[in-house]
Amino acid sequence: MSTAKRHAVTLIPGDGIGPEVTDAVVRILDASGVKFAWERYSAGAEAFEKYEEYVPKELYESIGRTKLALKGPVTTPVGGGFTSINVTLRKKFELYVNFRPIKNLPGLETRYPNVDLIIVRENTEGEYVGLEHEVVPGVMTSLKVITEKGSTRIARWAFDYARKHGRRKIHAIHKANIMKLSDGMFLKCAREIAKSYPEITYGEHIIDNACMQLVMNPYQYDTLLLPNLYGDIVSDLCAAFVGGLGLVPGANIGADAAIFEAVHGSAPDIAGKDIANPTALLQSAILMLRHIDEAEAADRLQAATEQVYRERKTLTRDVGGTAGTKAFGDAVIAALEVPQPAR
Ligand code: NAI
């Protein structure tokens, strides 16, 4: 265990259930034996009250320094208001990969057992470029931007990941029958990259069919490679296979920085009640530990989480328990085996 090193991490608790799940996860991380120097910042509406900026310059500077963030969800107004903080940060730091592993935890009865899917979503382009325009009253346009550079780098990342982790199959998911140029470009780049990875089977499915195929038989897929919007939607669909949004982690990765956050949003319907499940953020934090070469601590945290799930005594309501967010965090800390420093 590289306990000697203290890792500087930008912490964005977010809003809604964000501060609750973040608090539980930070307590668990601090109990893991790995040393962190947390740089805590607000973002979104809360930040605006304090700094008159949705993403304060101090937050940008902090990520610029640490190259690493753990982030809770931030509410984005619907139909107006400020641009999504996630989209802003992903663009700013060119976090072009959105990585979302979908895997069952033990002890949980879910829609499907033994799911092991990897979602690789392009994270900076597509409909999320935010180029919308009112042509004349009553007529709106929204530009979807797909570039050769963006499509090639995400395809390469997916194939590299698959090679490194022994994954066998990648399916590119698209709608190139209708969006012939934009999704067509995404496919062209994926096909080109696939040629350099002959050991990995490459396939293509149209997004609507892929959704049906996923629900019929998720086991036919291994790794899904998707443009931004399809990846966003399919991630939530796949989260339902393994117990819902309270469980599925995510990582936004670029060449220089990475931000780890759950797939779920700020869940205003359950905020402030100590009932949110912090597992998704905890699993994201475990991905973060692997990213910073703290694999041994990541394994211990994973084992502790799985023990709590196997025992089924301290689970949150979304997965059939009665425990609160804090109590779940305490249970993981109690299950955590922390190696003692040699005397
Ligand atoms: P949501 O993911 O917040 O909630 C959907 C459903 O899942 C709700 O019923 C909620 O209670 C449940 N849920 C979500 N996380 C849970 C957890 N940890 N434990 C137990 N139940 C959980 O999606 P929604 O309602 O569409 O979005 C709410 C807000 O979050 C919006 O403003 C949206 O823009 C924002 N959002 C932010 C994200 C981020 O910051 N990464 C990602 C997705 C949405």
Side-chain angles (χ1 to χ4, degrees):
M1 175 170 64
S2 60
T3 41
K5 179 157 189 215
R6 186 177 289 274
H7 301 278
V9 185
T10 305
L11 182 69
I12 309 163
D15 53 41
I17 60 170
E20 299 165 65
V21 292
T22 310
D23 181 62
V25 171
V26 167
R27 284 196 299 119
I28 295 167
L29 286 171
D30 283 340
S32 72
V34 179
K35 293 190 173 64
F36 296 97
W38 300 107
E39 300 190 9
R40 190 178 294 254
Y41 291 96
S42 53
E46 191 194 339
F48 193 80
E49 275 177 28
K50 207 165 148 192
Y51 300 96
E52 294 203 342
E53 277 174 313
Y54 293 107
V55 181
K57 122 174 148 314
E58 291 83 350
L59 170 51
Y60 283 133
E61 285 166 2
S62 173
I63 299 177
R65 233 181 1 257
T66 62
K67 316 279 186 216
L68 191 65
L70 183 66
K71 178 182 163 297
V74 179
T75 304
T76 310
V78 174
F82 61 88
T83 306
S84 156
I85 301 305
N86 299 319
V87 172
T88 307
L89 290 174
R90 288 167 188 170
K91 263 195 219 159
K92 168 85 182 164
F93 293 101
E94 270 203 78
L95 307 175
Y96 65 94
V97 181
N98 195 305
F99 170 71
R100 294 173 163 183
I102 313 271
K103 215 170 168 184
N104 293 86
L105 279 166
L108 265 195
E109 221 171 274
T110 59
R111 299 263 168 202
Y112 298 89
N114 306 319
V115 173
D116 182 7
L117 271 172
I118 299 291
I119 294 182
V120 179
R121 161 188 170 193
E122 200 294 319
N123 215 18
T124 52
E125 301 192 337
E127 293 81 349
Y128 289 64
V129 291
L131 296 174
E132 293 195 308
H133 175 61
E134 181 174 10
V135 185
V136 290
V139 181
M140 310 296 172
T141 60
S142 177
L143 285 183
K144 164 170 171 164
V145 177
I146 303 258
T147 68
E148 188 172 14
K149 180 186 165 204
S151 303
T152 300
R153 68 180 176 181
I154 192 68
R156 186 173 291 117
W157 194 92
F159 277 93
D160 276 346
Y161 179 88
R163 177 171 278 172
K164 201 164 159 202
H165 294 86
R167 315 285 310 192
R168 289 160 190 270
K169 252 191 308 192
I170 294 187
H171 278 86
I173 307 299
H174 67 96
K175 190 77 185 174
N177 51 330
I178 305 299
M179 279 156 277
K180 295 178 194 293
L181 289 182
S182 54
D183 282 18
M185 169 65 76
F186 189 80
L187 280 190
K188 185 172 156 278
C189 298
R191 283 176 198 158
E192 198 49 43
I193 293 292
K195 288 182 194 158
S196 308
Y197 299 78
E199 77 279 22
I200 297 163
T201 307
Y202 172 68
E204 294 170 356
H205 278 170
I206 295 176
I207 176 71
D208 33 352
N209 174 39
C211 289
M212 189 275 293
Q213 296 287 350
L214 273 165
V215 175
M216 292 288 280
N217 174 19
Y219 307 108
Q220 67 184 293
Y221 294 111
D222 175 320
T223 298
L224 300 176
L225 168 64
L226 309 101
N228 208 337
L229 178 61
Y230 310 149
D232 194 1
I233 297 168
V234 168
S235 308
D236 276 33
L237 178 109
C238 292
F241 297 162
V242 298
L245 284 170
L247 301 169
V248 176
N252 303 285
I253 304 167
D256 296 326
I259 300 182
F260 294 81
E261 64 177 344
V263 168
H264 65 72
S266 57
D269 53 334
I270 57 167
K273 297 179 181 166
D274 189 40
I275 58 176
N277 189 350
T279 305
L281 188 66
L282 177 55
Q283 294 282 302
S284 311
I286 292 173
L287 293 178
M288 180 179 86
L289 287 174
R290 298 197 189 286
H291 180 81
I292 57 173
D293 293 330
E294 292 284 3
E296 187 270 335
D299 290 343
R300 279 188 293 109
L301 265 185
Q302 186 66 27
T305 309
E306 292 187 4
Q307 186 181 322
V308 171
Y309 271 86
R310 228 176 267 115
E311 287 172 359
R312 293 200 56 82
K313 285 192 295 212
T314 329
L315 298 184
T316 48
R317 292 175 196 203
D318 56 312
V319 287
T322 53
T325 313
K326 281 198 192 81
F328 175 86
D330 292 342
V332 175
I333 291 170
L336 194 57
E337 283 177 20
V338 181
Q340 298 305 313
R343 285 169 190 267

